[in-house]
Amino acid sequence: MKIKRLGEFGAIGRIAGLCRPPGREVRAGIGDDTAAFSHGPGLVLAGADMMVEGVHFDLEYTAWRDVGYRALASNMSDIAAMGGRPRYYMVSVALRGEEDESALMELYTGFEEAAGPHGMRLIGGDTTGTPGPRVVSVTILGDAGPKGVIRRGGARPGDMVFVTGTLGDSAAGLRLLKSGDLGRRPGAGKRSAKGAGGCTAGDMQHLVSRHLRPTARVKAGLGLGASGLVSSMIDISDGFSSDLGHILAESGVGARIEEDGIPVSGHLARCFGTRGALGFALDGGEDYELIFTARPRAAKRLAEICERAGAVIGITGVITKERGAYLVTGKGSLRELRPGGYEHFRR
Amino acid sequence: MKIKRLGEFGAIGRIAGLCRPPGREVRAGIGDDTAAFSHGPGLVLAGADMMVEGVHFDLEYTAWRDVGYRALASNMSDIAAMGGRPRYYMVSVALRGEEDESALMELYTGFEEAAGPHGMRLIGGDTTGTPGPRVVSVTILGDAGPKGVIRRGGARPGDMVFVTGTLGDSAAGLRLLKSGDLGRRPGAGKRSAKGAGGCTAGDMQHLVSRHLRPTARVKAGLGLGASGLVSSMIDISDGFSSDLGHILAESGVGARIEEDGIPVSGHLARCFGTRGALGFALDGGEDYELIFTARPRAAKRLAEICERAGAVIGITGVITKERGAYLVTGKGSLRELRPGGYEHFRR
């Protein structure tokens, strides 16, 4: 059935039927004026992110299910970057009405797939029509960890700059999706992935999946927050260079980053070469890995915490008193590391 | 300066500079991964609403400032309908980038004009580009009143159905804006406002202003919630007939509404006649007045509470055990009152 036949209230009914019902701490949810939930002592965390068709997702190569998964994961990542626990989400969605109701079901299935492992529940939102690109606007609500929140502004000179996981896979996956290279043999065309040593279909699949199904580092963020050892933290949505820049600006410090310390996956290096991989890793964005800073002596303890949460960490550099971010290349030369990630409106 | 020259981070800086900074209970706000605020005992309220250009607002006849004011007022109204107090808001906005930065400033000035009298503060959000219609997506956060929340599902047979203020003005104002009748003499054209007795420019201005600058009944809602006398409550966004329908459906009851009990303003009656006024009042929508139910003996007390909050209340009918909503006309005949308000996707 088309969504315009289903109608707004029919759509809301379908959504409520599909999503896991919240527990008793939620006194009002879908189908009331607002949601109402009880909250223990400590801070409430709240974040919001909007995704627009043609800007953040393209239905040509993204399933509705992946749109939902990715939209919620990116919001969960914001909570993770505060060292908090995501609890609830609300979704406002603008659709054209000509979509089949399966689009709606798939979208919310994607949300629930991202929400499920963390016990998160849908508690409200809005559905509306649009004559233009579809829009998915997510609000996420959560609790701060036991030691409060980790902000962007606490980095101190001498802190090490850590990062979870590997960087650049997501942006490379997006490039593959956009270029349509997935169907071709690697290296078959000018714009296609070209490996230093044999980019396989499995490598490409990995990169694409990192774009469509990013992992929010919720457990790692919680552990890092609870450790009391982390001075600042942010998640990578715009790109390592841009998001590190936010930490530096808020903290009033600079950084020296070692090119060799930027963690890239074998998949990425095989498909795009060392140089290409580094470009994606520094400026690509949508990795949803965490950048955080801490004293050098905390490194071992933080590595253990993250490992237990399923995340390997790397040391990429050091915070400096002198402002500005610099990249030390493999050959030892220094170049300025400018924010090269995505910024809206600038086109 | 055009927004695309200003860039996303420039835009965020401008917004942060314009809006009142939050108090100390907010530990993280604009410019961090999420907002973080402390919250006393009691329920947290959270609501979300999305407005799309061409569906919810038209820049041909709506200033950006009014877009902001109306978007936030409609969200505040949802909190009011729970008997709660609005505290914080977040805004995700999609713009084309070709707008002048004054559009952004005006939009957020409108938000702050609605927020100010209630001490509400902006604590976060998102800004993004779009190739299509602009989108304004608001999240509102608040506290429940001392006696918890008033839900939609508590109406009992024998309860009276109350409503604050007058109905239909907003929809009539929108009609005037759409038809361009404001510039003409009333009654000068087929589609223009036609009064039973002399629709003045002042009357039309009142109707238009009720559409562009609706009042969320925050104080009345708080007072009603704290009284412990109200069994169910909702705000009128889709239209009296539709929103009453939500109360009836959630409560598993019916209602008999007296046509003569539907409060309409003199402005509306003068400009659209008694029949026209009734149509707008029943099905028009976006009044942001409150519909609530309570035992008959509570009427006097509730009238006093609302009067102190600047709202006159009217009794429109009674809740019945038999399902269905019926309208008793002035002549005493009975007709079914079907939800006639706006429903998205249905076109």
Side-chain angles (χ1 to χ4, degrees), chain A residues 313-326:
Chain A
I313 62 172
I315 295 174
T316 66
V318 64
I319 295 294
T320 59
K321 198 176 160 192
E322 304 72 40
R323 302 289 188 100
Y326 294 90

Side-chain angles (χ1 to χ4, degrees), chain B residues 222-346:
Chain B
L222 268 170
L224 292 169
S227 75
L229 298 168
V230 172
S231 56
S232 73
M233 185 149 65
I234 194 171
D235 69 313
I236 302 179
S237 51
D238 297 324
F240 177 85
S241 56
S242 286
D243 291 313
L244 173 66
H246 293 312
I247 284 188
L248 303 183
E250 292 291 325
S251 304
V253 295
R256 214 168 52 209
I257 301 299
E258 304 282 334
E259 194 179 278
D260 293 345
I262 299 291
V264 295
S265 71
H267 311 285
L268 181 59
R270 277 195 293 280
C271 289
F272 288 91
T274 314
R275 280 241 72 72
L278 187 68
F280 282 119
L282 290 176
D283 299 329
E286 297 189 297
D287 294 305
Y288 302 117
E289 299 290 353
L290 299 171
I291 305 175
F292 57 96
T293 58
R295 305 314 292 172
R297 64 172 180 277
K300 189 159 168 278
R301 180 91 194 87
L302 294 174
E304 287 165 3
I305 288 169
C306 288
E307 213 159 294
R308 231 176 294 135
V312 170
I313 61 172
I315 296 173
T316 66
V318 64
I319 295 293
T320 59
K321 197 175 158 193
E322 303 73 39
R323 302 288 188 99
Y326 293 91
L327 189 72
V328 186
T329 68
K331 291 172 187 154
S333 64
L334 212 68
R335 73 169 173 90
E336 202 178 341
L337 180 65
R338 289 173 175 280
Y342 194 78
E343 182 177 7
H344 283 288
F345 306 127
R346 290 204 191 277

Side-chain angles (χ1 to χ4, degrees), chain B residues 19-195:
Chain B
C19 294
R20 297 175 192 82
R24 292 201 52 180
E25 73 284 3
V26 174
R27 300 298 172 74
I30 300 169
D32 222 308
D33 300 293
T34 72
F37 58 88
S38 64
H39 194 273
L43 299 170
V44 180
L45 304 186
D49 252 335
M50 186 185 269
M51 281 172 53
V52 179
E53 183 185 5
V55 180
H56 302 85
F57 64 91
D58 191 327
L59 294 170
E60 284 288 314
Y61 50 75
T62 314
W64 274 111
R65 202 152 160 168
D66 293 329
V67 172
Y69 190 97
R70 197 155 74 87
L72 193 53
S74 81
N75 276 274
M76 291 163 65
S77 180
D78 284 325
I79 296 271
M82 299 296 277
R85 184 186 301 281
R87 285 179 72 196
Y88 306 115
Y89 70 104
M90 301 193 290
V91 178
S92 292
V93 60
L95 295 172
R96 297 179 62 87
E98 71 209 20
E99 304 87 352
D100 191 80
E101 71 172 282
S102 63
L104 197 75
M105 296 293 95
E106 288 295 307
L107 176 65
Y108 281 81
T109 299
F111 289 135
E112 287 287 288
E113 283 171 351
H118 301 278
M120 286 178 65
R121 294 293 186 267
L122 181 73
I123 55 169
D126 194 12
T127 54
T128 176
T130 177
R134 286 90 165 180
V135 182
V136 175
S137 183
V138 175
T139 298
I140 194 155
L141 297 160
D143 301 331
K147 294 204 175 147
V149 290
I150 313 292
R151 303 198 53 190
R152 296 177 176 177
R156 298 150 303 180
D159 281 356
M160 310 300 285
V161 180
F162 299 83
V163 68
T164 60
T166 59
L167 306 185
D169 292 344
S170 171
L174 176 60
R175 171 78 62 88
L176 289 172
L177 284 168
K178 275 186 170 168
S179 67
D181 270 1
L182 282 174
R184 295 194 228 165
R185 302 285 306 163
K190 203 187 158 204
R191 294 173 44 119
S192 68
K194 42 184 188 298

Side-chain angles (χ1 to χ4, degrees), chain A residues 53-113:
Chain A
E53 182 185 5
V55 180
H56 302 84
F57 63 93
D58 190 327
L59 294 171
E60 284 288 314
Y61 50 74
T62 315
W64 275 111
R65 203 153 161 169
D66 293 328
V67 172
Y69 191 96
R70 197 155 74 89
L72 193 53
S74 81
N75 276 274
M76 292 163 64
S77 179
D78 284 325
I79 295 270
M82 300 295 277
R85 184 186 301 281
R87 286 179 70 195
Y88 305 115
Y89 70 105
M90 302 194 290
V91 179
S92 292
V93 60
L95 295 173
R96 298 179 61 87
E98 73 209 19
E99 303 88 352
D100 190 81
E101 71 172 283
S102 63
L104 197 76
M105 296 294 95
E106 288 295 308
L107 177 65
Y108 282 81
T109 298
F111 289 135
E112 287 287 290
E113 283 171 350

Side-chain angles (χ1 to χ4, degrees), chain A residues 80-160:
Chain A
M82 300 295 277
R85 184 186 301 281
R87 286 179 70 195
Y88 305 115
Y89 70 105
M90 302 194 290
V91 179
S92 292
V93 60
L95 295 173
R96 298 179 61 87
E98 73 209 19
E99 303 88 352
D100 190 81
E101 71 172 283
S102 63
L104 197 76
M105 296 294 95
E106 288 295 308
L107 177 65
Y108 282 81
T109 298
F111 289 135
E112 287 287 290
E113 283 171 350
H118 301 278
M120 287 179 65
R121 294 293 187 267
L122 180 73
I123 56 169
D126 194 12
T127 54
T128 176
T130 178
R134 286 88 165 183
V135 182
V136 175
S137 182
V138 175
T139 297
I140 194 154
L141 297 159
D143 302 333
K147 295 204 175 146
V149 290
I150 312 293
R151 302 197 54 190
R152 295 177 178 179
R156 297 151 302 179
D159 281 357
M160 310 300 283

Side-chain angles (χ1 to χ4, degrees), chain A:
Chain A
M1 192 189 293
K2 297 232 168 155
I3 289 175
K4 64 182 160 197
R5 256 203 83 197
L6 193 61
E8 182 183 3
F9 304 123
I12 294 170
R14 290 283 204 285
I15 294 166
L18 182 144
C19 294
R20 297 175 192 83
R24 292 201 54 181
E25 72 286 0
V26 174
R27 300 296 173 74
I30 300 169
D32 223 308
D33 300 293
T34 72
F37 58 90
S38 63
H39 194 274
L43 299 170
V44 180
L45 305 186
D49 252 335
M50 187 185 270
M51 282 173 52
V52 178
E53 182 185 5
V55 180
H56 302 84
F57 63 93
D58 190 327
L59 294 171
E60 284 288 314
Y61 50 74
T62 315
W64 275 111
R65 203 153 161 169
D66 293 328
V67 172
Y69 191 96
R70 197 155 74 89
L72 193 53
S74 81
N75 276 274
M76 292 163 64
S77 179
D78 284 325
I79 295 270
M82 300 295 277
R85 184 186 301 281
R87 286 179 70 195
Y88 305 115
Y89 70 105
M90 302 194 290
V91 179
S92 292
V93 60
L95 295 173
R96 298 179 61 87
E98 73 209 19
E99 303 88 352
D100 190 81
E101 71 172 283
S102 63
L104 197 76
M105 296 294 95
E106 288 295 308
L107 177 65
Y108 282 81
T109 298
F111 289 135
E112 287 287 290
E113 283 171 350
H118 301 278
M120 287 179 65
R121 294 293 187 267
L122 180 73
I123 56 169
D126 194 12
T127 54
T128 176
T130 178
R134 286 88 165 183
V135 182
V136 175
S137 182
V138 175
T139 297
I140 194 154
L141 297 159
D143 302 333
K147 295 204 175 146
V149 290
I150 312 293
R151 302 197 54 190
R152 295 177 178 179
R156 297 151 302 179
D159 281 357
M160 310 300 283
V161 180
F162 299 84
V163 67
T164 60
T166 59
L167 307 185
D169 292 343
S170 171
L174 176 60
R175 170 78 62 86
L176 289 173
L177 284 168
K178 276 185 170 169
S179 67
D181 269 1
L182 280 173
R184 294 194 228 162
R185 301 289 303 166
K190 201 187 160 204
R191 295 173 41 123
S192 68
K194 43 184 184 300
C199 170
T200 67
D203 287 330
M204 293 196 281
Q205 208 46 60
H206 176 88
L207 299 177
V208 164
S209 142
R210 287 269 284 165
H211 178 71
L212 297 177
R213 295 255 157 177
T215 302
R217 294 293 189 185
V218 173
K219 275 185 197 166
L222 268 170
L224 291 169
S227 74
L229 297 169
V230 172
S231 56
S232 74
M233 186 150 62
I234 194 170
D235 69 312
I236 302 179
S237 50
D238 298 323
F240 176 84
S241 57
S242 287
D243 291 313
L244 173 67
H246 294 313
I247 283 188
L248 303 184
E250 293 290 325
S251 303
V253 295
R256 216 171 51 212
I257 302 299
E258 305 283 336
E259 197 179 277
D260 292 345
I262 300 290
V264 296
S265 71
H267 310 286
L268 181 59
R270 276 195 293 278
C271 290
F272 288 91
T274 314
R275 281 241 71 72
L278 187 68
F280 282 120
L282 290 176
D283 300 330
E286 299 189 296
D287 293 305
Y288 303 116
E289 297 292 351
L290 299 172
I291 305 175
F292 57 97
T293 58
R295 306 313 291 171
R297 65 171 179 276
K300 188 159 169 274
R301 178 91 193 88
L302 295 174
E304 288 165 2
I305 288 169
C306 288
E307 214 159 293
R308 230 175 295 135
V312 169
I313 62 172
I315 295 174
T316 66
V318 64
I319 295 294
T320 59
K321 198 176 160 192
E322 304 72 40
R323 302 289 188 100
Y326 294 90
L327 189 71
V328 185
T329 67
K331 292 171 189 155
S333 65
L334 212 68
R335 72 168 173 93
E336 203 180 338
L337 180 65
R338 291 173 173 281
Y342 194 77
E343 183 176 7
H344 284 290
F345 305 129
R346 291 205 191 274
R347 283 177 291 196

